[in-house]
Structure formats: structure tokens, C-alpha cells
Amino acid sequence: MTKTLTFDETPPEGTINFGLGQPSPELLSVPIIKKASEAFIQDARPLDLNYGSAAGDPRFTHALAEFLTREYGVKADASSLMVTNGNSQALDFVCTIFTKPGDTVFVEEPSYFLAFKILADHGLNIVGIPIDEDGIIIEEIKKALEIHKPSIFYTIPSFNNPTGYTTSEARRRELIALSQSHDFLIVADEVYQMLSYYEDPPMAFGSMTESGTVISMGSFSKILSPGMRLGWIQSSPSLIQKALEYGVINSGGSLNHYTSHIARYAIELGLQEDHLVHLRTTFKKRVEAMDDALTSVLGDTLSWQRPKGGYFFWLTLPDGMDADELRAKADSYDLGFQPGSRFSSRGKLKHFLRLSFSYYWEDDIRDGVERLSKLIADG
Amino acid sequence: MTKTLTFDETPPEGTINFGLGQPSPELLSVPIIKKASEAFIQDARPLDLNYGSAAGDPRFTHALAEFLTREYGVKADASSLMVTNGNSQALDFVCTIFTKPGDTVFVEEPSYFLAFKILADHGLNIVGIPIDEDGIIIEEIKKALEIHKPSIFYTIPSFNNPTGYTTSEARRRELIALSQSHDFLIVADEVYQMLSYYEDPPMAFGSMTESGTVISMGSFSKILSPGMRLGWIQSSPSLIQKALEYGVINSGGSLNHYTSHIARYAIELGLQEDHLVHLRTTFKKRVEAMDDALTSVLGDTLSWQRPKGGYFFWLTLPDGMDADELRAKADSYDLGFQPGSRFSSRGKLKHFLRLSFSYYWEDDIRDGVERLSKLIADG
């Protein structure tokens, strides 16, 4: 068995683990948190330590709305927002509020494997819908809708995990039309929306909520600090209202009041946007280092599309090669990655693998790709 | 309709709202949070901002174990602990993991009304079991077990909300025996366990987990800051293991990594324990002010037991008087409280009312009790 790293571990010295979908430590900026936290504490009133209001502190939701307006390029309103504990918790409570056990949920095939467990915790029947380089495939969804009546379509529309693929704006609009005609919710995990390294991605689902069938989940995990466990939902008034009836909020108020103060100061002091620029610059170099290295040593063996954002390369192995088998041998090459089967809701996709470029500098990326090349050659 | 205050509001100037189950602002200590936060930031490493390990940062769970050992007077082990987002979220995820819709949950009658919504979110069938001045009544539970097969017994064993009643150690042990023979989980909300103003309360359920049927939920909300949304579960190894399989933790790591660092420093710097002493001293004065005021102006009209801890007085009205009707008239006396019916899972308890003494200084408490006396006299 390959050892899975726990969240607070670093890979053993000498190992290059492209399986880690996390920023590298030097991208977790203690100085930013220090400045934002000190600015908050300097101004803090006792009530800032109390239960926060249900949708989140209004000063935070206003700062967030302005931030989203600038980042998404579409006017966001504070009243369309509510605080969450990050996207994993948001998906969990959306399931609590909007589904019941036995309901069907559509996911992309492939999709984020750790979401499957959250959906399974709610007794949902998971149906994977194939995607291509332009994201969701409307014909595939229509076919599935002839058989199933989903409560939810869970999608990672921009820079999908694991493929890096992005759903075009046209397909987004078609999906919204289907959600209206077939009465399901689109739950869009937009965690990579701001991590775009070339042109802007298509309009965020967070900016397309007029249909009343869209819940966009955003997060500070990938743009500031995962440990803050802070995210948001952006949606239409009636869905926000329904979400606010969640018993936990009723009892405990804002799902993360304290860390929302820190994020507010990070936004207001301009630290968040400066950091985003830094992240984009850094990750773009890593994308290109990985793309160049792959082209140079595995260009004839593997096929892939260079991602335009997010964290991941999705690689197709030659016929007959199995990523699970490669993964089992990778430890002796001091190499890690995720085999494609982990992202399939039905145990398929064995001839794919996911490499994350988020955790390593360019030299390590080149070194890791060399190891992958040796592993595949020794196959 | 009586306006319900939202979490981040203060009562209008001149109003005394004994309905608020919150600490008064001056008990939310910005200086403590400032010291703890600064000490954390001073030492912080980038990985402290990353996803935290599933059960919580080991430095935090060790500090918490030592704190609980001192406060509960029984050795607590870090391996018996896991981080939560506070007791509301903990109850929610315990329902996700350990129940399915249609299951029966026993609650105390009366019990914390906002827990009912959390249980209802999970489609649970709520059955209230009467309690008395010594807490849960074993005979009543046995009677209910002849009819129902609960998955969970949700109890607030020390200084129950709303009654202030405490279940004796003998009854706790009998409940544990029943949980074993009838195969249900005891989910103990121990949020008031450390808020004891006279003798020590009976042993916490957190110190009685050997049966493998007990989940104790503790929180920093009532002892440090509700806005930190930080709590813990203390349980036996197999239940902790099962809880850690929660999909949200699987995906997002520690349920509140950042604020756990601040709580760790508050414990290690001795600030948490100093603050507890301050809280106990302050609340004891408020209990006695309310008890004296009630005795002086309503001693012949109402009956009650002076609480030995927690936040609440539970008062019995004379025959024929209805707390809901009084509550509807209370606004014109600039007075607030909670009518007993809110705490009944079946709309009963109309001749009780709950007064919280946690939010006001003694002068306001006396003033508010005078208003209550006038309201009842005019009633």
C-alpha cells in the first residue's frame, strides 16, 4: 500500500509527490495573515468575538462582494453571499438541506474523488457524466436525464479537478437551461476560478444565478489559507434564504465568524489581490515547466492538454498501460501521483493519471517528470 | 410578533432581554484573543495555515487534553479528542454519520430548542423524555424504550438549557447501561460543564466514554469566544475513528485549524483558565442577584431552583398563567425572555419561562426582574 500523506505532513525528503493537491508551503503566506490578523485585532470589538450573523458579518460579505466584482468582472451583491467553512463543508450542508438519502446526484466523470465521500455520507446515488476538453457534454447529460432525476449536478466548471478542463460559457448556459427544465440544482465548486494563468476563464456560475437553480461555492483555501476553513456560497435570494434555514446556522450563527474578519482585512488591505497575482505568476511558471518537461521526455508516450489554470495535468497513458499498477511501483522511484481511477465514480479511467504542479518549484517538477519517464519506461 | 435579535445585535438601549443565551460583551475578551493570536502569529510556520490533520493539530489536542484533565479532574487523552466547529456543527455531523432519516432521537423535555432544527434537518423523529431536578429520569427513559428504538439520546447533562438542572452521576451511569443494552449513542452537549459556580458538577460524560456508546461535545463558545466556532468531541477510539471518516474531514482536514492555534495559545499561556475563573466569579454574582431579586419580588408567585451553573433560571408560573401570552406583552415592558414552549419538542411547557442571567450586570438583572414582576402583576 502506498502511504497517503496526512494534511499536515510534508513529503519525505527526496520524494516528489505530484499527488498533493495543495500549495507549496512558501505560498502559504504567514506575513499576509500576520498583517491582516493584527489589523483586525487592533480594531476588534468584543462583539466581533460573539456569534456572527447568519449569512456572515455584513462588513465581510460587503468586502467579499467587492472582491468578487473585481475578480469575476461582474457585479456581485453582498446579499447574494453567505459564509461557509470551506467548500467541503458547503457541499455537505447543501446535501443536508437540498437532498434526501436515495436521491441521485450527477457528478462529472472524472471529478474530485473526495467529494464522493461527502455525497455518500448523505446516502446519495452518484452518477458520473463524461466530460471532454470543453467540460460538461450536454448530450451526455440529456441522455442521463432520460434515465435519472437528479437533485443536484455537482460540477467543477473551471480547471476541473483532476482534468484541468473548463466548461465553456455556452455549455454553462445550456446546463442552466436543463436545470430549469428538469428541476435540479447546479452546485458549482468554483475553487479554481481565480487561478487562471492565461486568458480569463468563462463567467463564473456565481455570476449566473438568476435562474434560481445555481449554488456557487467559493473558498479562500486555494487563494489564501486552507486552514482558515473559510468559503462562501453565492446564489439567488430564495436559495440563500433556504440555506440560511440550516439548523447549524440557526444555532451557531455565521459558520466561521473569526476567520472571516481576517479575510476581510486581507481584502481591504489589498493583500489578497496582491497574493493572487503572486500565485498566478508562480503557478504559470510551474505549468510551463511541467508542460516543457513532459513534452521533452514523454511527448511521444503520453497525451495531455496544457491546463490554463488550476493545479492539475491529466495525462492519457498508452493503450494497455494501467495507472494503478504504475502507482504501486512509484514509491521506489520516490515519486507520487494520483491514478485516474480515484476520480471515477465507477472505478474506470485506469489509463489516466493526475499530476499536480501546485506543490513544487520548477527544478523539482522537471526532476519528478524524469522519474515518471523512467517509471513508465521500466513499466 | 416579537422581534428576535440576530446574533451580532445588541438589545436596544433600555431593553433588558433575558432571552439572550450569550455572554455579555465585556466577557468576550479581546485582550485574551489578542495575546493568544499574537503569540501564535509570532511562531507560525506556513504549514500552520495549511489543511490541518483530521482529528486536529496534535499540539492543540495535547493542550486540550491537559486542559480537560485539569478542568474535569479525570485524565483525558489527546487520542480521545477531535476538533469540531462548535457544538451545533458537531451535533449536525454526528447526525450525518450516526443516523439516517426516519431514525428516532430522544431529547430531554425540555431541551435546547435550536438543537431541534438540527435534528429535523436530518429527518429524525424527535421524542422528548421528561426530566426533573436531578436531570434525566431513568424510569421515563425505560418506558420510552418499550415503544421506541432511538439511534441517539441527545442530553445536556450539566446545567441543562433551559432548566439549569444537572443529571446526577448515578443517573449518568444508568443511562450508559441503557445505551449499552439498547444500542443507542449518548450525545452529551457539555457546553456548560465548566461553568459551575458552587460545588463541582458530576463527572463529565467526556470522562465516561469506556462503554463505547458516549460522544461528548465540548466547546470554546461559552468559555472563550463563540465566533471562533471551535469545539471538540471526546469519545472512545472506535467512535472517534468512525467520526473521522466524515467526508468533510476527509476532504478538508481539521474542521477548524486556524482558530485551534489561537485556543492552544490561550490554554498554554494560562489565559483560558484565568478567564474561566473570571467567568465563574462573574456569573455567580449574577445568579445570586437574580435569585435574590426573584425571591424579593416574585417569591410568592413563581417557583424555581437556583441554578448551580450554566446560564439559566427555569421558572414555574402559577396555574392558569401562560408564558407565551406574557411574552407577547413583554415588549411594552422593554423586557425579553424565552417562553417554556420553545423548549418543548411537542409544544407543551406553557407555564414555564427561561431567564438567562449571562448577558447582564446585577443592576440590570434586578431591574429586569422588577419589570417581570410588573408584567406578571398586570398579566
PDB file of all heavy atoms in Angstrom, chain B residues 335-362:
ATOM      1  N   LEU B 335     -38.827  44.285  27.982  1.00  0.00           N
ATOM      2  CA  LEU B 335     -38.325  43.066  28.620  1.00  0.00           C
ATOM      3  C   LEU B 335     -38.362  41.914  27.613  1.00  0.00           C
ATOM      4  O   LEU B 335     -39.264  41.840  26.780  1.00  0.00           O
ATOM      5  CB  LEU B 335     -39.224  42.733  29.825  1.00  0.00           C
ATOM      6  CG  LEU B 335     -38.894  41.451  30.606  1.00  0.00           C
ATOM      7  CD1 LEU B 335     -37.573  41.608  31.355  1.00  0.00           C
ATOM      8  CD2 LEU B 335     -40.028  41.118  31.582  1.00  0.00           C
ATOM      9  N   GLY B 336     -37.360  41.050  27.690  1.00  0.00           N
ATOM     10  CA  GLY B 336     -37.375  39.839  26.873  1.00  0.00           C
ATOM     11  C   GLY B 336     -37.074  38.609  27.711  1.00  0.00           C
ATOM     12  O   GLY B 336     -36.384  38.696  28.739  1.00  0.00           O
ATOM     13  N   PHE B 337     -37.607  37.467  27.329  1.00  0.00           N
ATOM     14  CA  PHE B 337     -37.270  36.159  27.924  1.00  0.00           C
ATOM     15  C   PHE B 337     -37.746  35.097  26.949  1.00  0.00           C
ATOM     16  O   PHE B 337     -38.348  35.418  25.917  1.00  0.00           O
ATOM     17  CB  PHE B 337     -37.918  35.982  29.305  1.00  0.00           C
ATOM     18  CG  PHE B 337     -39.406  36.123  29.306  1.00  0.00           C
ATOM     19  CD1 PHE B 337     -40.235  35.050  28.969  1.00  0.00           C
ATOM     20  CD2 PHE B 337     -40.001  37.345  29.640  1.00  0.00           C
ATOM     21  CE1 PHE B 337     -41.612  35.194  28.955  1.00  0.00           C
ATOM     22  CE2 PHE B 337     -41.377  37.496  29.627  1.00  0.00           C
ATOM     23  CZ  PHE B 337     -42.196  36.421  29.282  1.00  0.00           C
ATOM     24  N   GLN B 338     -37.492  33.844  27.247  1.00  0.00           N
ATOM     25  CA  GLN B 338     -37.960  32.756  26.378  1.00  0.00           C
ATOM     26  C   GLN B 338     -39.098  32.016  27.066  1.00  0.00           C
ATOM     27  O   GLN B 338     -38.926  31.534  28.191  1.00  0.00           O
ATOM     28  CB  GLN B 338     -36.821  31.761  26.089  1.00  0.00           C
ATOM     29  CG  GLN B 338     -35.598  32.352  25.404  1.00  0.00           C
ATOM     30  CD  GLN B 338     -35.801  32.626  23.911  1.00  0.00           C
ATOM     31  OE1 GLN B 338     -36.870  32.386  23.341  1.00  0.00           O
ATOM     32  NE2 GLN B 338     -34.765  33.158  23.291  1.00  0.00           N
ATOM     33  N   PRO B 339     -40.234  31.892  26.411  1.00  0.00           N
ATOM     34  CA  PRO B 339     -41.311  31.087  26.982  1.00  0.00           C
ATOM     35  C   PRO B 339     -40.948  29.606  26.928  1.00  0.00           C
ATOM     36  O   PRO B 339     -40.244  29.163  26.016  1.00  0.00           O
ATOM     37  CB  PRO B 339     -42.498  31.396  26.071  1.00  0.00           C
ATOM     38  CG  PRO B 339     -41.902  31.823  24.777  1.00  0.00           C
ATOM     39  CD  PRO B 339     -40.582  32.466  25.098  1.00  0.00           C
ATOM     40  N   GLY B 340     -41.432  28.852  27.902  1.00  0.00           N
ATOM     41  CA  GLY B 340     -41.080  27.435  28.028  1.00  0.00           C
ATOM     42  C   GLY B 340     -41.428  26.598  26.810  1.00  0.00           C
ATOM     43  O   GLY B 340     -40.724  25.632  26.495  1.00  0.00           O
ATOM     44  N   SER B 341     -42.486  26.982  26.105  1.00  0.00           N
ATOM     45  CA  SER B 341     -42.934  26.160  24.976  1.00  0.00           C
ATOM     46  C   SER B 341     -41.862  26.003  23.897  1.00  0.00           C
ATOM     47  O   SER B 341     -41.834  25.017  23.168  1.00  0.00           O
ATOM     48  CB  SER B 341     -44.201  26.768  24.366  1.00  0.00           C
ATOM     49  OG  SER B 341     -43.952  28.096  23.948  1.00  0.00           O
ATOM     50  N   ARG B 342     -40.968  26.989  23.818  1.00  0.00           N
ATOM     51  CA  ARG B 342     -39.913  26.889  22.799  1.00  0.00           C
ATOM     52  C   ARG B 342     -39.014  25.681  23.040  1.00  0.00           C
ATOM     53  O   ARG B 342     -38.345  25.210  22.128  1.00  0.00           O
ATOM     54  CB  ARG B 342     -39.023  28.143  22.825  1.00  0.00           C
ATOM     55  CG  ARG B 342     -39.763  29.397  22.443  1.00  0.00           C
ATOM     56  CD  ARG B 342     -38.832  30.456  21.913  1.00  0.00           C
ATOM     57  NE  ARG B 342     -38.338  30.128  20.588  1.00  0.00           N
ATOM     58  CZ  ARG B 342     -37.588  30.929  19.847  1.00  0.00           C
ATOM     59  NH1 ARG B 342     -37.238  32.117  20.322  1.00  0.00           N
ATOM     60  NH2 ARG B 342     -37.176  30.572  18.658  1.00  0.00           N
ATOM     61  N   PHE B 343     -38.935  25.227  24.292  1.00  0.00           N
ATOM     62  CA  PHE B 343     -38.003  24.156  24.655  1.00  0.00           C
ATOM     63  C   PHE B 343     -38.671  22.788  24.684  1.00  0.00           C
ATOM     64  O   PHE B 343     -38.057  21.798  25.055  1.00  0.00           O
ATOM     65  CB  PHE B 343     -37.365  24.459  26.013  1.00  0.00           C
ATOM     66  CG  PHE B 343     -36.703  25.800  26.031  1.00  0.00           C
ATOM     67  CD1 PHE B 343     -37.388  26.936  26.468  1.00  0.00           C
ATOM     68  CD2 PHE B 343     -35.413  25.944  25.560  1.00  0.00           C
ATOM     69  CE1 PHE B 343     -36.787  28.179  26.441  1.00  0.00           C
ATOM     70  CE2 PHE B 343     -34.806  27.191  25.535  1.00  0.00           C
ATOM     71  CZ  PHE B 343     -35.491  28.315  25.979  1.00  0.00           C
ATOM     72  N   SER B 344     -39.957  22.783  24.321  1.00  0.00           N
ATOM     73  CA  SER B 344     -40.680  21.521  24.297  1.00  0.00           C
ATOM     74  C   SER B 344     -40.673  20.980  22.884  1.00  0.00           C
ATOM     75  O   SER B 344     -40.947  21.707  21.928  1.00  0.00           O
ATOM     76  CB  SER B 344     -42.118  21.732  24.764  1.00  0.00           C
ATOM     77  OG  SER B 344     -42.861  20.546  24.542  1.00  0.00           O
ATOM     78  N   SER B 345     -40.396  19.689  22.753  1.00  0.00           N
ATOM     79  CA  SER B 345     -40.412  19.075  21.428  1.00  0.00           C
ATOM     80  C   SER B 345     -41.844  18.816  20.981  1.00  0.00           C
ATOM     81  O   SER B 345     -42.075  18.368  19.873  1.00  0.00           O
ATOM     82  CB  SER B 345     -39.614  17.768  21.446  1.00  0.00           C
ATOM     83  OG  SER B 345     -40.126  16.896  22.437  1.00  0.00           O
ATOM     84  N   ARG B 346     -42.823  19.112  21.860  1.00  0.00           N
ATOM     85  CA  ARG B 346     -44.224  18.847  21.491  1.00  0.00           C
ATOM     86  C   ARG B 346     -45.150  19.990  21.866  1.00  0.00           C
ATOM     87  O   ARG B 346     -46.345  19.792  22.127  1.00  0.00           O
ATOM     88  CB  ARG B 346     -44.678  17.535  22.129  1.00  0.00           C
ATOM     89  CG  ARG B 346     -44.327  17.432  23.604  1.00  0.00           C
ATOM     90  CD  ARG B 346     -44.381  15.979  24.096  1.00  0.00           C
ATOM     91  NE  ARG B 346     -44.027  15.900  25.505  1.00  0.00           N
ATOM     92  CZ  ARG B 346     -43.544  14.818  26.099  1.00  0.00           C
ATOM     93  NH1 ARG B 346     -43.346  13.713  25.406  1.00  0.00           N
ATOM     94  NH2 ARG B 346     -43.264  14.810  27.382  1.00  0.00           N
ATOM     95  N   GLY B 347     -44.583  21.217  21.928  1.00  0.00           N
ATOM     96  CA  GLY B 347     -45.411  22.410  22.131  1.00  0.00           C
ATOM     97  C   GLY B 347     -46.040  22.540  23.509  1.00  0.00           C
ATOM     98  O   GLY B 347     -47.019  23.263  23.688  1.00  0.00           O
ATOM     99  N   LYS B 348     -45.479  21.855  24.505  1.00  0.00           N
ATOM    100  CA  LYS B 348     -46.036  21.953  25.868  1.00  0.00           C
ATOM    101  C   LYS B 348     -45.204  22.950  26.682  1.00  0.00           C
ATOM    102  O   LYS B 348     -44.547  23.810  26.140  1.00  0.00           O
ATOM    103  CB  LYS B 348     -46.022  20.566  26.517  1.00  0.00           C
ATOM    104  CG  LYS B 348     -46.733  19.522  25.666  1.00  0.00           C
ATOM    105  CD  LYS B 348     -47.625  18.644  26.494  1.00  0.00           C
ATOM    106  CE  LYS B 348     -48.399  17.714  25.580  1.00  0.00           C
ATOM    107  NZ  LYS B 348     -49.763  17.500  25.993  1.00  0.00           N
ATOM    108  N   LEU B 349     -45.265  22.798  28.013  1.00  0.00           N
ATOM    109  CA  LEU B 349     -44.459  23.603  28.950  1.00  0.00           C
ATOM    110  C   LEU B 349     -44.816  25.089  28.875  1.00  0.00           C
ATOM    111  O   LEU B 349     -43.952  25.952  29.065  1.00  0.00           O
ATOM    112  CB  LEU B 349     -42.958  23.399  28.675  1.00  0.00           C
ATOM    113  CG  LEU B 349     -42.467  21.931  28.691  1.00  0.00           C
ATOM    114  CD1 LEU B 349     -41.007  21.863  28.257  1.00  0.00           C
ATOM    115  CD2 LEU B 349     -42.643  21.302  30.063  1.00  0.00           C
ATOM    116  N   LYS B 350     -46.093  25.377  28.668  1.00  0.00           N
ATOM    117  CA  LYS B 350     -46.524  26.760  28.513  1.00  0.00           C
ATOM    118  C   LYS B 350     -46.527  27.539  29.820  1.00  0.00           C
ATOM    119  O   LYS B 350     -46.604  28.768  29.816  1.00  0.00           O
ATOM    120  CB  LYS B 350     -47.918  26.815  27.877  1.00  0.00           C
ATOM    121  CG  LYS B 350     -47.915  26.443  26.393  1.00  0.00           C
ATOM    122  CD  LYS B 350     -49.302  26.543  25.797  1.00  0.00           C
ATOM    123  CE  LYS B 350     -49.312  26.100  24.353  1.00  0.00           C
ATOM    124  NZ  LYS B 350     -48.547  26.997  23.466  1.00  0.00           N
ATOM    125  N   HIS B 351     -46.453  26.842  30.943  1.00  0.00           N
ATOM    126  CA  HIS B 351     -46.434  27.566  32.227  1.00  0.00           C
ATOM    127  C   HIS B 351     -45.018  27.678  32.804  1.00  0.00           C
ATOM    128  O   HIS B 351     -44.831  27.830  34.005  1.00  0.00           O
ATOM    129  CB  HIS B 351     -47.408  26.922  33.223  1.00  0.00           C
ATOM    130  CG  HIS B 351     -47.085  25.497  33.544  1.00  0.00           C
ATOM    131  ND1 HIS B 351     -47.062  24.505  32.584  1.00  0.00           N
ATOM    132  CD2 HIS B 351     -46.758  24.898  34.714  1.00  0.00           C
ATOM    133  CE1 HIS B 351     -46.745  23.353  33.154  1.00  0.00           C
ATOM    134  NE2 HIS B 351     -46.546  23.577  34.440  1.00  0.00           N
ATOM    135  N   PHE B 352     -44.041  27.601  31.916  1.00  0.00           N
ATOM    136  CA  PHE B 352     -42.654  27.828  32.340  1.00  0.00           C
ATOM    137  C   PHE B 352     -42.070  28.983  31.546  1.00  0.00           C
ATOM    138  O   PHE B 352     -42.531  29.281  30.437  1.00  0.00           O
ATOM    139  CB  PHE B 352     -41.791  26.587  32.068  1.00  0.00           C
ATOM    140  CG  PHE B 352     -42.137  25.399  32.910  1.00  0.00           C
ATOM    141  CD1 PHE B 352     -43.017  24.428  32.433  1.00  0.00           C
ATOM    142  CD2 PHE B 352     -41.580  25.248  34.175  1.00  0.00           C
ATOM    143  CE1 PHE B 352     -43.340  23.318  33.206  1.00  0.00           C
ATOM    144  CE2 PHE B 352     -41.896  24.137  34.955  1.00  0.00           C
ATOM    145  CZ  PHE B 352     -42.785  23.175  34.474  1.00  0.00           C
ATOM    146  N   LEU B 353     -41.043  29.592  32.103  1.00  0.00           N
ATOM    147  CA  LEU B 353     -40.257  30.531  31.309  1.00  0.00           C
ATOM    148  C   LEU B 353     -38.794  30.426  31.692  1.00  0.00           C
ATOM    149  O   LEU B 353     -38.451  30.012  32.800  1.00  0.00           O
ATOM    150  CB  LEU B 353     -40.793  31.957  31.420  1.00  0.00           C
ATOM    151  CG  LEU B 353     -40.950  32.611  32.770  1.00  0.00           C
ATOM    152  CD1 LEU B 353     -39.667  33.319  33.167  1.00  0.00           C
ATOM    153  CD2 LEU B 353     -42.093  33.636  32.693  1.00  0.00           C
ATOM    154  N   ARG B 354     -37.939  30.798  30.730  1.00  0.00           N
ATOM    155  CA  ARG B 354     -36.493  30.750  30.950  1.00  0.00           C
ATOM    156  C   ARG B 354     -35.939  32.155  30.996  1.00  0.00           C
ATOM    157  O   ARG B 354     -36.183  32.958  30.089  1.00  0.00           O
ATOM    158  CB  ARG B 354     -35.806  29.980  29.812  1.00  0.00           C
ATOM    159  CG  ARG B 354     -34.315  29.723  30.083  1.00  0.00           C
ATOM    160  CD  ARG B 354     -33.558  29.305  28.816  1.00  0.00           C
ATOM    161  NE  ARG B 354     -33.228  30.449  27.965  1.00  0.00           N
ATOM    162  CZ  ARG B 354     -32.452  30.390  26.870  1.00  0.00           C
ATOM    163  NH1 ARG B 354     -31.940  29.228  26.486  1.00  0.00           N
ATOM    164  NH2 ARG B 354     -32.203  31.473  26.157  1.00  0.00           N
ATOM    165  N   LEU B 355     -35.189  32.455  32.061  1.00  0.00           N
ATOM    166  CA  LEU B 355     -34.453  33.722  32.151  1.00  0.00           C
ATOM    167  C   LEU B 355     -32.963  33.411  32.076  1.00  0.00           C
ATOM    168  O   LEU B 355     -32.468  32.564  32.811  1.00  0.00           O
ATOM    169  CB  LEU B 355     -34.737  34.427  33.480  1.00  0.00           C
ATOM    170  CG  LEU B 355     -36.190  34.776  33.840  1.00  0.00           C
ATOM    171  CD1 LEU B 355     -36.205  35.555  35.159  1.00  0.00           C
ATOM    172  CD2 LEU B 355     -36.866  35.588  32.738  1.00  0.00           C
ATOM    173  N   SER B 356     -32.271  34.105  31.212  1.00  0.00           N
ATOM    174  CA  SER B 356     -30.818  33.964  31.168  1.00  0.00           C
ATOM    175  C   SER B 356     -30.192  35.119  31.941  1.00  0.00           C
ATOM    176  O   SER B 356     -30.576  36.274  31.763  1.00  0.00           O
ATOM    177  CB  SER B 356     -30.350  33.993  29.717  1.00  0.00           C
ATOM    178  OG  SER B 356     -28.946  34.097  29.681  1.00  0.00           O
ATOM    179  N   PHE B 357     -29.237  34.783  32.791  1.00  0.00           N
ATOM    180  CA  PHE B 357     -28.547  35.837  33.564  1.00  0.00           C
ATOM    181  C   PHE B 357     -27.171  36.141  32.988  1.00  0.00           C
ATOM    182  O   PHE B 357     -26.413  36.924  33.556  1.00  0.00           O
ATOM    183  CB  PHE B 357     -28.410  35.414  35.042  1.00  0.00           C
ATOM    184  CG  PHE B 357     -27.741  34.080  35.224  1.00  0.00           C
ATOM    185  CD1 PHE B 357     -26.356  33.965  35.207  1.00  0.00           C
ATOM    186  CD2 PHE B 357     -28.501  32.924  35.391  1.00  0.00           C
ATOM    187  CE1 PHE B 357     -25.737  32.739  35.348  1.00  0.00           C
ATOM    188  CE2 PHE B 357     -27.884  31.686  35.526  1.00  0.00           C
ATOM    189  CZ  PHE B 357     -26.496  31.597  35.511  1.00  0.00           C
ATOM    190  N   SER B 358     -26.852  35.541  31.834  1.00  0.00           N
ATOM    191  CA  SER B 358     -25.467  35.622  31.332  1.00  0.00           C
ATOM    192  C   SER B 358     -25.125  36.973  30.717  1.00  0.00           C
ATOM    193  O   SER B 358     -23.959  37.334  30.621  1.00  0.00           O
ATOM    194  CB  SER B 358     -25.229  34.522  30.289  1.00  0.00           C
ATOM    195  OG  SER B 358     -26.105  34.689  29.185  1.00  0.00           O
ATOM    196  N   TYR B 359     -26.131  37.716  30.299  1.00  0.00           N
ATOM    197  CA  TYR B 359     -25.867  38.898  29.474  1.00  0.00           C
ATOM    198  C   TYR B 359     -25.823  40.197  30.273  1.00  0.00           C
ATOM    199  O   TYR B 359     -25.349  41.206  29.773  1.00  0.00           O
ATOM    200  CB  TYR B 359     -26.940  38.998  28.370  1.00  0.00           C
ATOM    201  CG  TYR B 359     -26.557  39.899  27.217  1.00  0.00           C
ATOM    202  CD1 TYR B 359     -25.786  39.420  26.168  1.00  0.00           C
ATOM    203  CD2 TYR B 359     -26.943  41.242  27.201  1.00  0.00           C
ATOM    204  CE1 TYR B 359     -25.409  40.239  25.120  1.00  0.00           C
ATOM    205  CE2 TYR B 359     -26.573  42.070  26.150  1.00  0.00           C
ATOM    206  CZ  TYR B 359     -25.812  41.572  25.116  1.00  0.00           C
ATOM    207  OH  TYR B 359     -25.442  42.389  24.086  1.00  0.00           O
ATOM    208  N   TYR B 360     -26.303  40.204  31.508  1.00  0.00           N
ATOM    209  CA  TYR B 360     -26.485  41.483  32.224  1.00  0.00           C
ATOM    210  C   TYR B 360     -25.759  41.551  33.563  1.00  0.00           C
ATOM    211  O   TYR B 360     -25.600  40.545  34.261  1.00  0.00           O
ATOM    212  CB  TYR B 360     -27.992  41.728  32.452  1.00  0.00           C
ATOM    213  CG  TYR B 360     -28.709  42.018  31.151  1.00  0.00           C
ATOM    214  CD1 TYR B 360     -29.389  41.015  30.470  1.00  0.00           C
ATOM    215  CD2 TYR B 360     -28.650  43.282  30.577  1.00  0.00           C
ATOM    216  CE1 TYR B 360     -30.011  41.266  29.257  1.00  0.00           C
ATOM    217  CE2 TYR B 360     -29.270  43.548  29.360  1.00  0.00           C
ATOM    218  CZ  TYR B 360     -29.941  42.544  28.704  1.00  0.00           C
ATOM    219  OH  TYR B 360     -30.547  42.795  27.505  1.00  0.00           O
ATOM    220  N   TRP B 361     -25.368  42.753  33.906  1.00  0.00           N
ATOM    221  CA  TRP B 361     -24.833  43.037  35.236  1.00  0.00           C
ATOM    222  C   TRP B 361     -25.971  43.015  36.259  1.00  0.00           C
ATOM    223  O   TRP B 361     -27.140  43.091  35.912  1.00  0.00           O
ATOM    224  CB  TRP B 361     -24.150  44.404  35.259  1.00  0.00           C
ATOM    225  CG  TRP B 361     -22.902  44.445  34.441  1.00  0.00           C
ATOM    226  CD1 TRP B 361     -22.745  45.015  33.220  1.00  0.00           C
ATOM    227  CD2 TRP B 361     -21.644  43.876  34.792  1.00  0.00           C
ATOM    228  NE1 TRP B 361     -21.467  44.844  32.769  1.00  0.00           N
ATOM    229  CE2 TRP B 361     -20.759  44.151  33.716  1.00  0.00           C
ATOM    230  CE3 TRP B 361     -21.157  43.173  35.897  1.00  0.00           C
ATOM    231  CZ2 TRP B 361     -19.432  43.734  33.726  1.00  0.00           C
ATOM    232  CZ3 TRP B 361     -19.835  42.767  35.908  1.00  0.00           C
ATOM    233  CH2 TRP B 361     -18.985  43.042  34.837  1.00  0.00           C
ATOM    234  N   GLU B 362     -25.578  42.991  37.523  1.00  0.00           N
ATOM    235  CA  GLU B 362     -26.557  42.802  38.610  1.00  0.00           C
ATOM    236  C   GLU B 362     -27.638  43.870  38.612  1.00  0.00           C
ATOM    237  O   GLU B 362     -28.814  43.575  38.857  1.00  0.00           O
ATOM    238  CB  GLU B 362     -25.847  42.759  39.977  1.00  0.00           C
ATOM    239  CG  GLU B 362     -24.992  41.517  40.208  1.00  0.00           C
ATOM    240  CD  GLU B 362     -23.541  41.696  39.786  1.00  0.00           C
ATOM    241  OE1 GLU B 362     -23.314  41.896  38.559  1.00  0.00           O
ATOM    242  OE2 GLU B 362     -22.658  41.666  40.632  1.00  0.00           O
TER     243      GLU B 362
END
